[in-house]
Each structure stands twice: as C-alpha cells, then as structure tokens.
Amino acid sequence: MVVVELLVVLAFIYLGARIGGIGIGLAGGAGVLVLSLFLGVDTGHIPIDVILIIMSVIAAIAAMQVAGGLELLVDLSERFLRKHPKRITFYAPIVTYFMTLLAGTGHTAFSTLPVIAEVAKEQGIRPSRPLGISVVASQIAITASPISAAVVFFSGILEPLGVGYLTLLAICIPTTFAACMIGAFVSNFLGCELKDDPVFLERQAKGLIKLQGQTQRNLLPTAKTATAIFVTAIVGVIVYATLISDTVNLIQDPALGRNEAIMVFMLAAATAIVTITKIDPSEISNAPTFKSGMCACICVLGVAWLGDTFVSSHITEIKALSADILNQYPWMLAVTLFFASMLLYSQGATTTALMPAALAIGVAPITAIASFAAVSALFVLPTYPTLLAAVEMDDTGSTRIGKMVFNHPFLIPGLVTIFTSVALGFALGSLVL
C-alpha cells in the first residue's frame, strides 16, 4: 500500500505540473481526496500559518502596488542599473534579490526583467546572462526573506531545536547573496557574445530588435508614502522578532507570537496605506501581485497538504529508510529538496511538505539550514512564470529554451548558485550554531 500511495502522490504532482500554474495546488487537493477517501489514509496537517502569512503579506504588497510603490521601486532599480550598465550581469541579480528579500515574493521580478533586458541590449551584452541569474536570484532570495512564508515556517519548526528566527536569517542572507554573486560570475561567461549570436543577427536583419531607452514613468504622488509604510512594517517585524527572541528576550511571554506579528503588521501596513494614500481598496484585489499571491496560497494548500498526508502516515518507515543515509550523507537532503521543488513549483510548499519530516527523522539543524536554499530549484523546468517572462521579454532571442528542454540559460547559473549556497551554509552554519 505504501507503494500505491506514493504512486498516487506522484501522479497528482505530475498532473498538477502538466496543468501548470495554480494547477499544482488543485491537483494536490485532489490527491488528498484519493488518499483519504479511497485508500483510507488520515489527512495530514494543513499549513494554515503559511497560507495566512502569504495572504497578509500579499495584501500589503498589493496595496503598495496600487498606490504606486512597486513602480517606484522599479524606477529606482532602473536608475541604479543604468548608472552601471557594463556590470549589468552582477547588478541585475542584486536588484531582483533585494526586491524579493523586501517583498517576500519572487513575482516582483516581473517588473524589473524588461529593464534588465533593455539595458543589456543597449550595451551589446548578451541579455540571457543577466536575465538568467536574475531569475535565479529572485527565487533563492525567498529562503532569506524575513517575511517569506518558507522562512517563517522553517524558523518555527527549528525553534524547538534551539535555532531562532534571527539565527536562521543570519545564515541564509549572506550565504544566498554570496552564492548569487558567484552565479553571476559564471553566468557572465555563458553563451557566445551577442554580436556573434546567429539568432540575434537574424532578428536584427529582419528589423525585430528595438532599443527603447530609459522608460519615463509617471509615478503616483502616493508612491513614496506607500513604500515607506511597507518598509517600516518590515523593519517593525524584524525588531519585534528580535525583542521576543530567546537571545534578546526583552519581551517575555509575549501576547503576540512571531507568526501572528507578521500577519498583523502586514495587515496594519495595508490599512495605513489605504487610509493615508486614499487609494480605492477595491483595486487591491485586482492588482497582479494579489492574484499571484492567492495562486501561491492554493499551491501551498494543495501540495503541502498532499505531501504531509503521505509523509505523516509513513513517518516510521521513512525514518527507518532515510535516517542512516542522511546522517552519513547530509548533502542528500539538499538533493531531495532540489528535485522536490522542481515538481512542486513553490519554496513554501516544498518546505512545509518535507522539512518537518527531515527534522523528525533526526536530521541536524545545520544540515537542514544549509540545505534550505535547495527548495529554490524552480528554474530547472522551463515552465515557471518569471522564467517564461524573461524569455518573452528578450527580443534578441538570446534567452531561449533549447530543443533538449533543459538547455536553457537559467540552468547552469541556478545549479551553481544553489550548490554554492548549500556549501556556504554548511561552512557558516558550523561557525554560528
């Protein structure tokens, strides 16, 4: 029966991957139905806190977007990139990394990808180089964002093991950022020069390549206010988490837990943005970030619930099979997370589905933290939205998916970045923990 149940799980994950987008969450829920109703498996835990955190953060980001805050961040990013155009391959991932770090979602990269492609093209730099590593940076930064659902959930299950929220961030932020820079260095040498690319030359001969120059944006007068409110809320979350942490412990026995604090700080930020900037609150639910965030909630609900339903019902067998292997080869956890995230399309879903099981079978906290970045292998299959957007926005044709499917400009930078982050995680973790 274990084999049958595992095949059911894999079948519905495959179905969700074929549907694409929100389909992975829908299929996950259908898989829970089959496991529970037809095979008699007790349903696992629903990752309620993760879903509520995503909803709260997305509400604040969407309010900021309606007030013009995201447009302001994109404008600042373009000014930064245009001041250093020759170093676009290194500076572009810095922009997407910190935008994701700030917002807790990689979908903020959508607005910066056209700028990256345009600046690279103007400089005669192969756009696939900065675009490839920028997409990867926007994904791996989720594992370092103070308000991402993956980080908050992971820190919650680490705390009983003596590893706090701030300690997790202290390891993940420097290791993932340094890994992105190494990935950028490698990306800088991938592919031929733009002037030698036959696809580019063919498009250029047909007049399909256009230079648009710097975008002139009409920023809303409320943009700075909304952005300031959102950033203040993030700082407030970090400060409050510090005050209630076991390390500082200035607030003992807090009435408001860290997870709940993130929710209320974000909802309060959205309230302040709506009240102060006078935006129409009905427009928040129509914002692109709101729609993508709600899709993420469904994905986490379905996939994480499906994974926990199977794992929790067979934790004894899994522990017997995996404990010795992971204790002898700790890096195997990173490999497992890597391949799981390829199929689940979500750092939050992968973390909630597999990390509790990993810790339950005795994986050391340092191994789990070092392997955490591997939940960001969303770039392997060329179907993730930001990856496809990068391909579409590069009119030079240099950012393209090859006939072999896996030969695309995101794969090597992504592999290098995750491998480096895991290695640095073990190194830094051994000093911090």
Side-chain angles (χ1 to χ4, degrees), residues 154 157-158 161-163 322-323 326-331 333-334 337 355 357-372 425-426 429 433:
F154 189 34
I157 61 176
L158 283 173
L161 302 176
V163 180
S322 305
L326 289 176
N327 285 332
Q328 189 172 359
Y329 305 105
W331 50 267
L333 177 60
L337 295 172
M355 278 301 193
L359 295 175
I361 63 177
V363 170
I366 184 175
T367 299
I369 294 171
S371 303
F372 186 35
F426 276 108
L433 298 180

Side-chain angles (χ1 to χ4, degrees), residues 286-299:
N286 293 321
T289 50
F290 187 88
K291 294 178 180 179
S292 64
M294 293 307 107
C295 288
C297 287
I298 297 298
C299 290

Side-chain angles (χ1 to χ4, degrees), residues 1 21 27 43 116 191 236 255 287 292 341-342 350 365 417:
M1 287 304 295
T43 56
I116 295 169
S292 64
S341 64
M342 282 174 49
T350 305
T417 301

Side-chain angles (χ1 to χ4, degrees), residues 270-336:
T271 303
I273 291 172
V274 172
T275 304
I276 296 173
T277 64
K278 308 296 184 182
I279 61 171
D280 184 355
S282 65
E283 294 182 14
I284 294 176
S285 59
N286 293 321
T289 50
F290 187 88
K291 294 178 180 179
S292 64
M294 293 307 107
C295 288
C297 287
I298 297 298
C299 290
V300 170
L301 170 61
V303 171
W305 195 8
L306 175 64
D308 192 76
T309 296
F310 175 77
V311 170
S312 61
S313 63
H314 300 291
I315 189 64
T316 304
E317 298 95 318
I318 293 172
K319 185 174 182 177
L321 289 171
S322 305
D324 291 339
I325 296 176
L326 289 176
N327 285 332
Q328 189 172 359
Y329 305 105
W331 50 267
M332 283 297 294
L333 177 60
V335 175
T336 303

Side-chain angles (χ1 to χ4, degrees), residues 46-393:
I46 300 174
I48 295 175
D49 275 2
V50 175
I51 295 170
L52 294 179
I53 288 170
I54 294 174
M55 292 175 64
S56 304
V57 172
I58 289 300
I61 293 174
M64 181 177 69
Q65 183 175 28
V66 172
L70 279 186
E71 190 75 1
L72 172 63
L73 293 177
V74 173
D75 188 66
L76 293 174
S77 299
E78 180 169 6
R79 293 175 186 273
F80 171 71
L81 292 175
R82 288 189 178 279
K83 283 184 178 180
H84 312 281
K86 294 294 184 182
R87 300 172 185 171
I88 183 72
T89 306
F90 291 95
Y91 286 4
I94 292 176
V95 168
T96 57
Y97 180 92
F98 281 103
M99 286 190 70
T100 299
L101 194 78
L102 178 69
T105 171
H107 291 291
T108 53
F110 280 116
S111 52
T112 57
L113 293 176
V115 176
I116 295 169
E118 189 66 22
V119 173
K121 183 171 57 177
E122 291 172 3
Q123 297 300 315
I125 296 172
R126 186 179 180 86
S128 63
R129 294 172 177 173
L131 285 172
I133 186 60
S134 295
V135 168
V136 171
S138 72
Q139 293 176 357
I140 200 170
I142 288 291
T143 61
S145 171
I147 58 173
S148 77
V151 167
V152 174
F153 174 81
F154 189 34
S155 66
I157 61 176
L158 283 173
E159 282 184 343
L161 302 176
V163 180
Y165 172 74
L166 298 178
T167 303
L168 177 62
L169 292 178
I171 297 173
C172 292
I173 292 176
T175 56
T176 54
F177 179 73
C180 287
M181 292 300 94
I182 294 174
F185 176 79
V186 172
S187 186
N188 210 35
F189 296 97
L190 297 178
C192 64
E193 297 300 324
L194 184 61
K195 60 183 178 62
D196 300 322
D197 191 318
V199 175
F200 167 72
L201 294 174
E202 181 182 349
R203 292 187 173 214
Q204 190 178 48
K206 293 180 180 180
L208 300 177
I209 312 297
K210 298 180 180 179
L211 296 176
Q212 299 177 355
Q214 184 167 351
T215 304
Q216 298 299 320
R217 296 180 176 83
N218 294 319
L219 298 176
L220 296 175
T222 55
K224 291 183 179 180
T225 302
T227 304
I229 293 171
F230 183 74
V231 172
T232 301
I234 294 176
V235 173
V237 167
I238 297 173
V239 170
Y240 182 77
T242 303
L243 296 177
I244 66 173
S245 67
D246 292 336
T247 305
V248 178
N249 202 26
L250 286 180
I251 301 179
Q252 298 180 1
D253 192 21
L256 187 65
R258 190 193 60 250
N259 289 8
E260 292 78 9
I262 293 176
M263 297 176 204
V264 297
F265 270 70
M266 290 295 108
L267 293 176
T271 303
I273 291 172
V274 172
T275 304
I276 296 173
T277 64
K278 308 296 184 182
I279 61 171
D280 184 355
S282 65
E283 294 182 14
I284 294 176
S285 59
N286 293 321
T289 50
F290 187 88
K291 294 178 180 179
S292 64
M294 293 307 107
C295 288
C297 287
I298 297 298
C299 290
V300 170
L301 170 61
V303 171
W305 195 8
L306 175 64
D308 192 76
T309 296
F310 175 77
V311 170
S312 61
S313 63
H314 300 291
I315 189 64
T316 304
E317 298 95 318
I318 293 172
K319 185 174 182 177
L321 289 171
S322 305
D324 291 339
I325 296 176
L326 289 176
N327 285 332
Q328 189 172 359
Y329 305 105
W331 50 267
M332 283 297 294
L333 177 60
V335 175
T336 303
L337 295 172
F338 182 92
F339 284 104
S341 64
M342 282 174 49
L343 300 174
L344 300 184
Y345 289 122
S346 167
Q347 296 93 332
T350 305
T351 303
T352 53
L354 298 180
M355 278 301 193
L359 295 175
I361 63 177
V363 170
I366 184 175
T367 299
I369 294 171
S371 303
F372 186 35
V375 303
S376 301
L378 285 59
F379 56 82
V380 177
L381 298 175
T383 53
Y384 198 71
T386 48
L387 186 153
L388 294 174
V391 173
E392 291 297 322
M393 292 171 183

